[in-house]
Amino acid sequence: VRTSWANAAETLGRAGLADLGFALYQRVRAAGGAKADDLPPPYLRVLTAGDTNPEAFRILGSRMAQTVLATAELQGLQLSSQDAVLDFGCGCGRVAAPLIAATDARVHGCDVNGRLVQWCRRRLDGDFRRTRPEPPLPYADQAFSLVYALSVFTHLHEANAQAWLAELARVTRKGGLAVLSLFDEDMPAAAEFRPSLLDRGFLVRREGAEGSNLLCGYFSRAGFAQRAEAAGWRTLEIVPSASSGLDQALAVLARD
Ligand SMILES: C[S@@+](CC[C@H](N)C(=O)[O-])C[C@H]1O[C@@H](n2cnc3c(N)ncnc32)[C@H](O)[C@@H]1O
């Protein structure tokens, strides 16, 4: 059964129906995935993490949460119960769940996918909302001390990425921070188009619906910094994908 699903997905992709093919592929990946009481069901894990592996989900989620918190602390941001944190594109809480356990700050999450948000609302101690694919977000100006988005700017077109950089700047307080992951020029998959990526600052490889994991948007680190600064951020650092420990580059931005 799995082979025929995979064949169908491939045929749809060849016929120009890549989004439908990718949706089928995600169902195939989820089929037979192990259930785990403390984790979201396999299909939601595929939508969020790309596969069903429970250990990888736990380990990478914790590592990402620790990286976000350690980065904030290193930049002098001590989070307390007075602070609010936003997980933009939270999926089914892979990062939010361990982050909630590790901080006193109030954790909010938003995502365009209602099923993922619903799981978070039922299982996690935070404020989770379904939001729209384009700004604005339903939060007040300067509502958050820290915003983070992991594997989200990796799946946006350039115009939407620019609009979201500005919207995240609006909801972050002065003195607050953003930690955003991106595909950069050092990703192994970028080797063949590195020169044009460095030249243009942004390229899409693997077209798909905006926000879907099919669409892969790459930034050069300089190109991301330039776009973030145009949106009102100051770039503190962009840790290359090769050294971040997360297989994606990590931009650390400040609101002045
Ligand atoms: C690869 S998943 C990563 C989920 C989560 N950040 C993590 O690392 O576990 C990307 C998530 O971004 C969400 N997303 C994509 N575009 C979005 C947008 N414009 N606003 C909010 N969420 C978005 C998707 O629905 C998906 O849940």
Side-chain angles (χ1 to χ4, degrees), residues 112-162:
V112 290
N113 184 315
R115 278 182 77 174
L116 298 175
V117 169
Q118 200 178 39
W119 194 90
C120 293
R121 289 174 87 117
R122 286 194 185 135
R123 304 289 289 266
L124 303 181
D125 181 18
D127 177 281
F128 291 91
R129 300 189 199 184
R130 182 181 188 180
T131 46
R132 298 180 53 77
E134 283 93 29
L137 290 169
Y139 308 112
D141 292 357
Q142 302 201 46
F144 300 102
S145 303
L146 172 67
V147 302
Y148 65 92
L150 300 172
S151 298
V152 182
F153 281 85
T154 44
H155 304 298
L156 299 178
H157 278 293
E158 185 174 12
N160 219 12
Q162 188 69 54

Coordinates of all heavy atoms in Angstrom, one line a residue, residues 112-162:
V112 N -0.5 28.7 11.0 CA -1.6 28.8 10.0 C -2.4 27.5 10.0 O -3.5 27.4 9.5 CB -1.1 29.0 8.6 CG1 -0.6 30.5 8.5 CG2 0.0 28.1 8.2
N113 N -1.8 26.4 10.6 CA -2.5 25.1 10.5 C -3.3 24.8 11.7 O -2.8 24.7 12.8 CB -1.4 24.0 10.3 CG -2.0 22.6 10.1 OD1 -2.9 22.2 10.8 ND2 -1.5 21.9 9.1
G114 N -4.7 24.8 11.5 CA -5.6 24.7 12.7 C -5.4 23.4 13.4 O -5.6 23.3 14.7
R115 N -5.1 22.3 12.8 CA -5.0 21.0 13.5 C -3.8 21.0 14.4 O -3.8 20.5 15.5 CB -4.7 19.9 12.4 CG -6.0 19.4 11.8 CD -5.8 18.2 10.9 NE -5.5 17.0 11.6 CZ -5.4 15.8 11.0 NH1 -5.5 15.8 9.6 NH2 -5.2 14.7 11.6
L116 N -2.7 21.6 14.0 CA -1.5 21.7 14.8 C -1.8 22.6 16.0 O -1.4 22.2 17.1 CB -0.3 22.2 14.0 CG 0.1 21.4 12.8 CD1 1.2 22.1 12.0 CD2 0.6 20.0 13.2
V117 N -2.4 23.7 15.8 CA -2.7 24.6 16.9 C -3.7 23.9 17.9 O -3.5 24.1 19.1 CB -3.4 25.9 16.3 CG1 -3.9 26.8 17.5 CG2 -2.3 26.7 15.5
Q118 N -4.6 23.2 17.4 CA -5.6 22.5 18.3 C -4.9 21.6 19.2 O -5.2 21.5 20.4 CB -6.6 21.8 17.4 CG -7.9 21.5 18.1 CD -8.8 20.8 17.2 OE1 -8.4 19.9 16.4 NE2 -10.1 21.1 17.3
W119 N -3.9 20.8 18.7 CA -3.2 19.9 19.5 C -2.5 20.7 20.7 O -2.5 20.3 21.8 CB -2.2 19.0 18.7 CG -1.7 17.9 19.5 CD1 -2.2 16.6 19.6 CD2 -0.6 17.9 20.5 NE1 -1.6 15.9 20.5 CE2 -0.5 16.6 21.0 CE3 0.4 18.8 20.8 CZ2 0.4 16.2 22.0 CZ3 1.3 18.5 21.8 CH2 1.3 17.2 22.3
C120 N -1.8 21.8 20.3 CA -1.1 22.6 21.3 C -2.1 23.1 22.4 O -1.8 23.1 23.6 CB -0.4 23.8 20.6 SG 0.9 23.3 19.6
R121 N -3.3 23.6 21.9 CA -4.3 24.1 22.9 C -4.7 23.1 23.9 O -4.9 23.4 25.0 CB -5.5 24.6 22.1 CG -5.2 25.9 21.3 CD -6.4 26.2 20.5 NE -7.4 27.0 21.3 CZ -7.7 28.3 20.9 NH1 -7.2 28.8 19.9 NH2 -8.5 28.9 21.7
R122 N -4.8 21.8 23.4 CA -5.3 20.8 24.3 C -4.3 20.3 25.2 O -4.6 19.9 26.3 CB -5.8 19.6 23.4 CG -7.1 19.8 22.7 CD -7.7 18.5 22.2 NE -8.9 18.8 21.5 CZ -9.2 18.3 20.3 NH1 -8.4 17.4 19.7 NH2 -10.3 18.6 19.7
R123 N -3.0 20.3 24.8 CA -2.0 19.6 25.6 C -0.9 20.5 26.2 O -0.2 20.0 27.1 CB -1.2 18.6 24.7 CG -2.2 17.6 24.0 CD -2.7 16.6 25.0 NE -1.7 15.7 25.4 CZ -1.5 14.5 24.9 NH1 -2.2 14.1 23.9 NH2 -0.6 13.7 25.4
L124 N -0.8 21.8 25.8 CA 0.3 22.6 26.3 C -0.2 23.8 27.1 O -1.3 24.3 26.9 CB 1.2 23.1 25.2 CG 1.8 22.0 24.3 CD1 2.7 22.6 23.2 CD2 2.6 21.0 25.1
D125 N 0.6 24.2 28.1 CA 0.2 25.3 29.0 C 0.7 26.6 28.4 O 1.7 27.2 28.8 CB 0.9 25.0 30.4 CG 0.5 26.1 31.3 OD1 -0.5 26.8 31.1 OD2 1.2 26.2 32.4
G126 N -0.1 27.1 27.4 CA 0.3 28.4 26.8 C -0.9 28.9 26.0 O -2.0 28.3 26.0
D127 N -0.7 30.0 25.3 CA -1.8 30.6 24.5 C -1.5 30.3 23.1 O -0.5 30.8 22.5 CB -1.8 32.1 24.8 CG -2.9 32.8 23.9 OD1 -2.6 33.0 22.7 OD2 -4.0 33.1 24.5
F128 N -2.3 29.4 22.4 CA -2.0 29.0 21.1 C -3.2 29.5 20.2 O -4.3 29.2 20.5 CB -1.8 27.5 21.0 CG -0.5 27.1 21.7 CD1 -0.5 26.8 23.0 CD2 0.7 27.1 21.0 CE1 0.7 26.5 23.7 CE2 1.9 26.8 21.6 CZ 1.9 26.5 23.0
R129 N -2.8 30.1 19.0 CA -3.8 30.6 18.1 C -3.5 30.3 16.7 O -2.4 30.3 16.3 CB -3.9 32.1 18.2 CG -4.2 32.6 19.6 CD -4.4 34.1 19.6 NE -4.3 34.6 20.9 CZ -4.5 35.9 21.2 NH1 -4.9 36.8 20.3 NH2 -4.4 36.3 22.5
R130 N -4.6 30.0 16.0 CA -4.5 29.9 14.5 C -4.5 31.3 13.9 O -5.3 32.1 14.2 CB -5.7 29.1 13.9 CG -5.5 28.9 12.5 CD -6.7 28.2 11.9 NE -6.4 27.8 10.5 CZ -7.2 27.2 9.7 NH1 -8.4 26.8 10.2 NH2 -6.9 26.9 8.5
T131 N -3.5 31.5 13.1 CA -3.3 32.9 12.5 C -3.3 32.8 11.0 O -3.3 31.7 10.4 CB -2.0 33.6 13.0 OG1 -1.0 32.6 12.9 CG2 -2.2 34.0 14.4
R132 N -3.4 33.9 10.3 CA -3.5 34.0 8.9 C -2.1 33.9 8.2 O -1.1 34.2 8.8 CB -4.2 35.2 8.5 CG -5.6 35.3 9.0 CD -6.3 36.6 8.6 NE -6.3 36.7 7.2 CZ -7.1 36.1 6.3 NH1 -8.0 35.2 6.8 NH2 -7.0 36.3 5.0
P133 N -2.1 33.5 6.9 CA -0.8 33.3 6.2 C -0.1 34.7 6.0 O 1.1 34.7 5.8 CB -1.1 32.7 4.9 CG -2.5 32.2 5.0 CD -3.2 33.0 6.1
E134 N -0.8 35.8 6.1 CA -0.2 37.1 5.9 C -0.4 37.9 7.2 O -1.4 37.7 7.9 CB -0.8 37.9 4.7 CG -0.2 37.4 3.4 CD -1.2 36.3 2.8 OE1 -2.4 36.4 3.1 OE2 -0.7 35.4 2.1
P135 N 0.5 38.9 7.5 CA 0.2 39.8 8.6 C -1.1 40.5 8.5 O -1.6 40.6 7.3 CB 1.4 40.8 8.5 CG 2.4 40.1 7.6 CD 1.7 39.2 6.7
P136 N -1.7 41.1 9.5 CA -1.1 41.2 10.9 C -1.4 40.0 11.8 O -2.3 39.2 11.5 CB -1.7 42.4 11.4 CG -3.1 42.4 10.8 CD -2.9 41.8 9.4
L137 N -0.6 39.9 12.9 CA -0.9 39.0 13.9 C -1.9 39.6 14.9 O -1.9 40.8 15.1 CB 0.4 38.6 14.7 CG 1.4 37.8 13.9 CD1 2.7 37.7 14.7 CD2 0.9 36.4 13.7
P138 N -2.6 38.8 15.7 CA -3.6 39.3 16.6 C -3.0 39.7 18.0 O -3.5 39.3 19.0 CB -4.6 38.2 16.8 CG -3.8 37.0 16.6 CD -2.7 37.3 15.6
Y139 N -1.8 40.4 18.0 CA -1.2 40.7 19.2 C -0.9 42.2 19.2 O -0.7 42.8 18.1 CB 0.1 40.0 19.4 CG 0.0 38.5 19.3 CD1 0.6 37.8 18.2 CD2 -0.7 37.7 20.2 CE1 0.5 36.4 18.0 CE2 -0.8 36.3 20.1 CZ -0.2 35.7 19.0 OH -0.3 34.3 18.9
A140 N -0.8 42.8 20.4 CA -0.5 44.3 20.5 C 0.9 44.6 20.1 O 1.8 43.7 20.1 CB -0.8 44.7 21.9
D141 N 1.1 45.8 19.8 CA 2.5 46.3 19.5 C 3.3 46.0 20.8 O 2.9 46.1 21.9 CB 2.6 47.8 19.4 CG 1.9 48.3 18.1 OD1 1.4 47.5 17.3 OD2 1.8 49.5 17.9
Q142 N 4.6 45.5 20.6 CA 5.5 45.3 21.6 C 5.0 44.3 22.7 O 5.4 44.4 23.9 CB 5.9 46.6 22.3 CG 6.5 47.6 21.3 CD 7.3 48.7 22.0 OE1 8.2 48.4 22.9 NE2 7.1 50.0 21.7
A143 N 4.3 43.3 22.3 CA 3.7 42.4 23.3 C 4.7 41.4 23.8 O 4.6 40.9 24.9 CB 2.6 41.6 22.6
F144 N 5.8 41.2 23.0 CA 6.7 40.1 23.4 C 8.2 40.5 23.7 O 8.6 41.5 23.0 CB 6.8 39.0 22.3 CG 5.4 38.4 22.0 CD1 4.6 38.8 20.9 CD2 4.9 37.5 22.8 CE1 3.4 38.3 20.7 CE2 3.6 37.0 22.6 CZ 2.9 37.4 21.5
S145 N 8.8 39.9 24.6 CA 10.2 40.1 24.9 C 11.1 39.3 23.9 O 12.2 39.7 23.6 CB 10.6 39.7 26.3 OG 9.8 40.4 27.2
L146 N 10.6 38.2 23.5 CA 11.3 37.3 22.6 C 10.4 36.6 21.6 O 9.3 36.1 22.0 CB 12.0 36.2 23.5 CG 12.7 35.0 22.8 CD1 14.0 35.5 22.1 CD2 13.1 34.0 23.8
V147 N 10.8 36.7 20.4 CA 10.0 35.9 19.4 C 11.0 34.9 18.7 O 12.2 35.3 18.5 CB 9.3 36.8 18.3 CG1 8.4 37.8 18.9 CG2 10.3 37.5 17.4
Y148 N 10.5 33.8 18.4 CA 11.4 32.8 17.7 C 10.6 32.1 16.6 O 9.3 32.0 16.8 CB 12.1 31.8 18.6 CG 11.3 30.9 19.3 CD1 11.0 29.6 18.8 CD2 10.7 31.2 20.6 CE1 10.2 28.7 19.5 CE2 10.0 30.3 21.3 CZ 9.7 29.0 20.7 OH 8.9 28.1 21.4
A149 N 11.2 31.7 15.5 CA 10.6 31.0 14.4 C 11.6 30.0 13.9 O 12.6 30.4 13.4 CB 10.1 32.0 13.4
L150 N 11.3 28.7 14.1 CA 12.3 27.7 13.7 C 11.7 26.9 12.5 O 10.5 26.5 12.6 CB 12.6 26.8 14.8 CG 13.2 27.6 16.0 CD1 13.4 26.7 17.2 CD2 14.6 28.2 15.6
S151 N 12.4 26.9 11.4 CA 11.9 26.2 10.2 C 10.6 26.9 9.7 O 9.7 26.2 9.2 CB 11.7 24.7 10.4 OG 12.9 24.1 10.7
V152 N 10.6 28.2 9.7 CA 9.4 28.9 9.2 C 9.8 29.8 8.0 O 9.3 29.7 6.9 CB 8.6 29.7 10.3 CG1 7.4 30.3 9.7 CG2 8.2 28.8 11.4
F153 N 10.8 30.6 8.2 CA 11.3 31.5 7.2 C 12.0 30.6 6.0 O 12.2 31.1 5.0 CB 12.3 32.5 7.7 CG 11.6 33.7 8.3 CD1 11.2 33.6 9.7 CD2 11.3 34.8 7.6 CE1 10.5 34.7 10.2 CE2 10.6 35.9 8.2 CZ 10.2 35.8 9.5
T154 N 12.2 29.3 6.3 CA 12.7 28.4 5.3 C 11.6 28.0 4.3 O 11.9 27.3 3.3 CB 13.2 27.1 6.0 OG1 12.2 26.8 7.0 CG2 14.5 27.3 6.8
H155 N 10.3 28.4 4.6 CA 9.2 28.0 3.7 C 8.4 29.1 3.2 O 7.2 28.9 3.0 CB 8.4 26.9 4.5 CG 9.2 25.7 4.9 ND1 9.9 24.9 4.1 CD2 9.5 25.3 6.2 CE1 10.5 24.0 4.8 NE2 10.3 24.2 6.1
L156 N 9.0 30.3 3.1 CA 8.2 31.5 2.7 C 8.9 32.1 1.4 O 10.1 31.9 1.2 CB 8.3 32.6 3.8 CG 7.6 32.2 5.1 CD1 7.8 33.4 6.1 CD2 6.2 31.8 5.0
H157 N 8.0 32.7 0.6 CA 8.5 33.5 -0.5 C 9.1 34.8 0.0 O 8.8 35.2 1.1 CB 7.4 33.8 -1.5 CG 7.2 32.7 -2.5 ND1 8.1 32.3 -3.4 CD2 6.1 31.9 -2.6 CE1 7.6 31.3 -4.1 NE2 6.4 31.0 -3.6
E158 N 9.9 35.5 -0.8 CA 10.6 36.6 -0.4 C 9.7 37.7 0.2 O 10.0 38.3 1.3 CB 11.5 37.2 -1.5 CG 12.4 38.3 -1.1 CD 13.4 38.7 -2.1 OE1 13.2 38.3 -3.3 OE2 14.3 39.5 -1.8
A159 N 8.7 38.0 -0.6 CA 7.8 39.2 -0.2 C 7.1 38.9 1.2 O 7.0 39.8 2.1 CB 6.8 39.4 -1.2
N160 N 6.7 37.6 1.4 CA 6.0 37.3 2.6 C 7.0 37.3 3.8 O 6.7 37.7 4.9 CB 5.3 35.9 2.5 CG 4.0 35.9 3.2 OD1 3.5 37.0 3.6 ND2 3.4 34.7 3.3
A161 N 8.3 36.8 3.5 CA 9.3 36.8 4.5 C 9.6 38.2 5.0 O 9.7 38.5 6.2 CB 10.6 36.1 4.0
Q162 N 9.6 39.1 4.0 CA 9.9 40.5 4.4 C 8.8 41.1 5.2 O 9.0 41.8 6.2 CB 10.0 41.3 3.1 CG 10.5 42.8 3.3 CD 12.0 42.9 3.7 OE1 12.8 42.3 3.1 NE2 12.2 43.5 4.9

